Amino acid sequence: KEHGLTPEDWLSLFSTTLHETGIAIDNYADGKNTAAYLTGSYNSAADSVPSGCWARVSGQARLARDDPAISDPDGGVRVAVG
């Protein structure tokens, strides 16, 4: 069964991938990747969904909160199977 990632899932995937391959996933500023919407933690009360990406300019992983009603071409969804 597929399910959306939570911020904790994404941070684990990000750090493991970076450590094992040297590649920062969801590097939206490179023109090839997107920020990941973390739909496993959708907050209906705030009508927001967390997102995660690599902020190349600051050299940091970034977690944010976004309005799911706003279409963003630099956003995508990561899912897990479990």
Side-chain angles (χ1 to χ4, degrees):
K1 179 179 172 184
E2 291 183 352
H3 58 88
L5 296 182
T6 64
E8 295 85 359
D9 294 332
W10 185 84
L11 285 170
S12 179
L13 177 63
F14 178 87
S15 61
T16 299
T17 304
L18 184 61
H19 176 74
E20 292 178 355
T21 68
I23 296 170
I25 63 170
D26 302 319
N27 177 6
Y28 73 97
D30 72 358
K32 300 175 192 168
N33 293 289
T34 62
Y37 290 120
L38 308 174
T39 58
S41 290
Y42 172 70
N43 182 334
S44 60
D47 196 25
S48 66
V49 64
S51 63
C53 68
W54 173 248
R56 185 176 60 176
V57 173
S58 64
Q60 297 178 5
R62 177 179 177 268
L63 291 173
R65 173 176 75 158
D66 296 294
D67 180 346
I70 298 173
S71 177
D72 183 355
D74 292 328
V77 175
R78 282 194 179 273
V79 296
V81 178

